[in-house]
Amino acid sequence: MTGSPSLIGMWTLPHRVAAVATMLVHLAFSVVVVLGGFLAWFQPWVLWLHLPALAWGLAGQVRDLPCPLTTLENHSRRRGGWLPLTETGFIDHYFTGVLYPVSWKPWMPFLVLTVVLVSWAGLLIS
């Protein structure tokens, strides 16, 4: 029968939707980590999201912590018939080589820290 969905497709679609939804949540989390201080200039309540997100982001840089969002996305991707993220995770899979050159990778944590400190300086000044 042409045109009818396969049984495999019916079972993989919910997992693929979950993988994409997890990726979008992870992207939003990353934006809050990096730009949350600037967002707080206009909406001060965002600081209450930014501080714990930043704490988790810093902890992940200092220690090799498994990210629950990466784990969830990889699980959903596998169940949906897709390959998992690269071994080094979400940032390397979606950002490195896409938003910035691979050669910048060692410097990106320092650039992100600089962006966060500038945003906090703006909060203190205002």
Side-chain angles (χ1 to χ4, degrees):
M1 286 197 250
T2 58
S4 62
S6 69
L7 189 57
I8 293 173
M10 277 185 3
W11 294 110
T12 59
L13 182 61
H15 298 288
R16 289 180 177 189
V17 169
V20 171
T22 305
M23 180 271 299
L24 292 172
V25 169
H26 213 159
L27 178 63
F29 178 85
S30 299
V31 168
V32 170
V33 167
V34 178
L35 302 176
F38 290 113
L39 296 172
W41 290 9
F42 306 101
Q43 295 293 327
W45 62 268
V46 173
L47 199 57
W48 295 107
L49 297 176
H50 175 63
L51 292 174
L54 183 63
W56 177 258
L58 280 172
Q61 286 296 313
V62 175
R63 303 187 61 144
D64 190 20
L65 299 173
C67 177
L69 289 172
T70 299
T71 303
L72 178 61
E73 183 176 349
N74 277 334
H75 173 76
S76 298
R77 289 174 68 90
R78 282 189 198 98
R79 299 285 306 260
W82 288 343
L83 292 174
L85 300 176
T86 56
E87 189 175 307
T88 50
F90 177 84
I91 291 173
D92 281 349
H93 186 83
Y94 291 109
F95 295 164
T96 305
V98 177
L99 293 180
Y100 56 87
V102 175
S103 61
W104 291 14
K105 183 179 175 183
W107 300 103
M108 288 312 292
F110 301 107
L111 180 62
V112 168
L113 180 61
T114 301
V115 168
V116 170
L117 291 175
V118 167
S119 73
W120 286 2
L123 280 172
L124 293 174
I125 292 170
S126 62

